[in-house]
Amino acid sequence: MKFASLATTSAVALCASTLVAALDPIVIKGSKFFNEKTGEQFFFKGVAYQPRSGLSGNDNPDPLADTAGCKRDVALFKELGINSIRVYEVDYSKSHDDCMKMLEDAGIYVLLDMPSPKYSINRAEPHWDHELMSHWQAKVDAFAGYSNLVAWIAGNEVANDVDTTPSAAFVKAAIRDMKAYLKTKKLSTPVGYADNDDPKIRMNLINYFNCGDEETRADFYGINTYRWCGDKADFESSGYSDITKNMTDYTIPSLLTEYGCNLVRPRTFGEVKSLYGKDMMDIFSGGIMYEYSEEDNEYGIVKVSYGNSKAEKNDDYDNFKKALQAANPKGVKLNDYKPSGKDSECPKASKDWKVAPDTLSPTPSVNRCQCMIDSLGCTFKSDNLTASEGKAIGEIIGNICGQTSCDEISYDTSKGEYGDFVACDAQQRAAWAINKSFEDQKGAKCSAGDIDVKTVDSPKQDDVSKCIAKQDDNGNDGTSTGGGSNSNKTDDGDSEGKDSDDDTGSASALGIHFPTTVVAGAVVALLACLA
């Protein structure tokens, strides 16, 4: 999807719906959000909403499918005076009609994260492949008909230090492809990113997601920050003044996608006055307080449980309500607003920023990857490896790619180099490597340790180079190998990038070491998706 120029006076509708909209559409113009009908500037007054109590071990967390919970919580949302919630995890196979209608009737918009814990870009061994994209597309499809779905978040704190900066390139590729997918569905819901306010990479992230081609940029930028702690903090001492300065002259909207330090409780939310007052309202479009439900990390303002109508407020609830009631930002009118600022310059690759400025991973393509599999003379017998087979294959592939070139399934984000099949799923990349070893060792037996493989005497595809032009998952013919130009909390319930924090089945846990040019996540990602 390509927005009209953010520097023009035309407004861009955020929500398209197949339903009759009960809420006024919210639009983007320049670096601000507006109510399209009233022309009033729109400020997010929201809470993060991801209850976890009351779930069994096999349940997928999905507060928008819990009708009893929604009825209970929407009443409390209205009492708080919020106009939005941010939800991290949903099960797109379930119905969300009841909850979304209750929220709509209450005047509450929903910001929804595209990833989930199982289907997210792994910050340690990042990839953007058709398996991930298909699940994100399914989530978009499930929520396409809700008029109060105001925005998508394509990544949450994925790149969170210098070593994980390569993951930013894959998040940006995901933003490019999901914006394009939304466009194919005739939807204009914006896609943004939420960072973790890390001092070493903060400005590079801010600039990176607002540079290059418009098709690849984030449509808005979120900051998760927990600097303002206790009653003694103020706009200057908390560092909120620095955050605000960083976003001056930014050409897309910015908001706090998480805030609410809990080092001192009960919280009094002194930052709300600055966020919606003269200190910040000219730069930020409000924010999302973290969080609604009291969980083990003790950030909640209400104790609730799935399927239970009972709710128990704590002091933080009343304090947050009081702070919001005193916040009445009056921004500029849509027709009076003249966007200014300048587009960000893409940061150059360096020791602290391991991403080239102008190249992204290719758009995933089921067709391209299946064509590649059809060209192999040595491949797996089964289309689905078990977790134990995934662990076993990890060391084998590490050895193969340590001895021969695996460029076709590898990437080097610092140089902007991406192999033609880097966007294939983990097992397909592993099959490519096994076949490469088979071809390099002429006369050798097709083998992969104890894992069942097979020799294909006459592959369906006799020339793998023909696969490159196959249509991608957004319906475009592809010949390019790269696209576009270019805290203190824990247990927070968000999902993006968190798979990398779990060493179960990971390459490091198994003592596997790959070449410094990443072997397509070679089988690190394979292990993550199988384990």
Side-chain angles (χ1 to χ4, degrees):
M1 175 193 66
K2 184 174 181 179
F3 277 88
S5 173
L6 296 180
T8 68
T9 59
S10 62
V12 181
L14 298 187
C15 295
S17 175
T18 60
L19 304 177
V20 176
L23 298 183
D24 292 346
I26 305 302
V27 299
I28 282 177
K29 182 179 178 182
S31 62
K32 302 183 188 300
F33 294 91
F34 292 91
N35 182 306
E36 185 181 42
K37 288 188 176 180
T38 68
E40 298 288 339
Q41 187 175 345
F42 181 81
F43 295 88
F44 288 91
K45 289 186 175 182
V47 295
Y49 184 53
Q50 196 70 56
R52 294 183 176 274
S53 298
L55 290 172
S56 68
N58 295 324
D59 288 340
N60 291 324
D62 187 348
L64 301 183
D66 178 14
T67 302
C70 284
K71 185 176 181 179
R72 172 198 65 213
D73 295 330
V74 167
L76 294 175
F77 293 161
K78 291 171 69 175
E79 183 183 340
L80 274 176
I82 64 172
N83 63 12
S84 50
I85 59 173
R86 177 184 175 186
V87 181
Y88 301 89
E89 298 178 49
V90 295
D91 182 344
Y92 55 73
S93 68
K94 296 180 179 179
S95 173
H96 304 94
D97 291 350
D98 291 342
C99 287
M100 291 299 285
K101 183 64 167 64
M102 281 187 267
L103 290 164
E104 183 179 66
D105 290 344
I108 294 173
Y109 296 91
V110 178
L111 295 87
L112 186 57
D113 286 48
M114 284 179 162
S116 62
K118 188 175 181 181
Y119 299 108
S120 60
I121 294 171
N122 185 316
R123 64 169 65 94
E125 297 292 344
H127 264 84
W128 172 241
D129 60 36
H130 62 248
E131 182 181 23
L132 286 180
M133 185 171 173
S134 67
H135 284 278
W136 292 25
Q137 288 173 331
K139 188 179 288 188
V140 166
D141 292 345
F143 282 83
Y146 301 123
S147 64
N148 54 332
L149 194 286
V150 70
W152 291 101
I153 295 177
N156 186 76
E157 303 185 8
V158 185
N160 63 0
D161 57 23
V162 169
D163 291 338
T164 58
T165 54
S167 65
F170 292 92
V171 175
K172 194 167 183 178
I175 289 174
R176 172 201 64 201
D177 294 336
M178 294 310 297
K179 287 173 68 170
Y181 181 71
L182 285 160
K183 185 176 181 179
T184 68
K185 297 292 182 177
K186 294 181 170 48
L187 297 168
S188 54
T189 320
V191 182
Y193 179 73
D195 80 12
N196 70 320
D197 196 25
D198 180 88
K200 280 194 174 181
I201 63 174
R202 180 186 301 132
M203 290 311 302
N204 282 335
L205 283 171
I206 289 170
N207 290 327
Y208 184 64
F209 283 102
N210 186 37
C211 76
D213 291 344
E214 205 165 296
E215 292 88 346
T216 71
R217 299 181 198 170
D219 296 322
F220 64 94
Y221 195 83
I223 298 174
N224 298 346
T225 185
Y226 293 82
R227 300 190 192 191
W228 194 306
C229 301
D231 290 339
K232 294 183 179 179
D234 59 29
F235 182 62
E236 294 292 337
S237 67
S238 66
Y240 266 51
S241 59
D242 295 329
I243 293 174
T244 304
K245 289 174 184 176
N246 291 341
M247 308 310 292
T248 303
D249 294 329
Y250 212 50
T251 56
I252 59 175
S254 55
L255 63 147
L256 299 187
T257 36
E258 290 179 13
Y259 70 89
C261 174
N262 71 345
L263 293 181
V264 180
R265 294 194 79 179
R267 294 180 287 177
T268 55
F269 302 101
E271 63 266 54
V272 168
K273 182 178 180 180
S274 282
L275 180 59
Y276 299 102
K278 60 182 180 61
D279 290 336
M280 301 175 70
M281 73 176 198
D282 288 341
I283 305 298
F284 282 90
S285 297
I288 307 294
M289 188 278 292
Y290 191 87
E291 68 178 318
Y292 177 73
S293 62
E294 181 75 335
E295 308 294 340
D296 291 341
N297 55 11
E298 298 183 343
Y299 275 85
I301 60 176
V302 178
K303 285 186 179 180
V304 293
S305 182
Y306 270 84
N308 192 317
S309 61
K310 182 181 179 181
E312 181 182 343
K313 305 174 188 175
N314 62 27
D315 289 343
D316 285 5
Y317 179 95
D318 292 327
N319 290 341
F320 185 54
K321 175 182 175 181
K322 182 179 179 181
L324 283 182
Q325 287 176 339
N328 294 296
K330 297 296 181 183
V332 63
K333 284 278 192 176
L334 174 63
N335 292 335
D336 296 334
Y337 173 53
K338 297 180 180 179
S340 60
K342 56 184 178 180
D343 294 340
S344 302
E345 183 176 344
C346 291
K348 296 180 180 179
S350 67
K351 64 181 180 65
D352 291 336
W353 182 252
K354 303 174 184 180
V355 182
D358 55 2
T359 312
L360 298 174
S361 180
T363 299
S365 170
V366 170
N367 297 319
R368 176 185 291 189
C369 295
Q370 186 57 55
C371 178
M372 179 269 285
I373 292 296
D374 289 343
S375 76
L376 304 182
C378 175
T379 188
F380 299 114
K381 277 189 177 179
S382 172
D383 291 335
N384 297 292
L385 298 183
T386 65
S388 60
E389 287 174 329
K391 291 179 181 180
I393 202 67
E395 186 170 358
I396 295 171
I397 305 307
N399 290 335
I400 290 173
C401 293
Q403 299 174 27
T404 189
S405 170
C406 284
D407 288 348
E408 294 299 304
I409 58 169
S410 303
Y411 62 80
D412 186 337
T413 58
S414 293
K415 296 179 180 179
E417 297 174 351
Y418 299 90
D420 289 333
F421 303 111
V422 74
C424 297
D425 69 33
Q427 182 166 330
Q428 291 170 332
R429 298 193 303 266
W432 184 95
I434 290 171
N435 184 72
K436 180 68 159 55
S437 177
F438 173 67
E439 290 181 341
D440 286 353
Q441 301 177 54
K442 299 186 183 302
K445 181 182 178 182
C446 174
S447 65
D450 295 329
I451 300 171
D452 288 337
V453 293
K454 62 182 179 182
T455 301
V456 182
D457 294 329
S458 299
K460 295 179 182 178
Q461 175 58 254
D462 60 359
D463 183 0
V464 72
S465 67
K466 294 179 180 178
C467 300
I468 309 306
K470 293 292 184 180
Q471 197 172 68
D472 67 33
D473 289 354
N474 277 328
N476 302 306
D477 291 334
T479 55
S480 171
T481 58
S485 61
N486 295 304
S487 80
N488 60 28
K489 66 183 175 64
T490 58
D491 186 30
D492 56 2
D494 60 350
S495 57
E496 294 79 331
K498 296 302 173 68
D499 289 350
S500 61
D501 296 332
D502 182 358
D503 286 337
T504 303
S506 71
S508 58
L510 294 171
I512 300 171
H513 301 283
F514 297 112
T516 52
T517 298
V518 181
V519 184
V523 182
V524 179
L526 173 64
L527 303 177
C529 74
L530 292 173

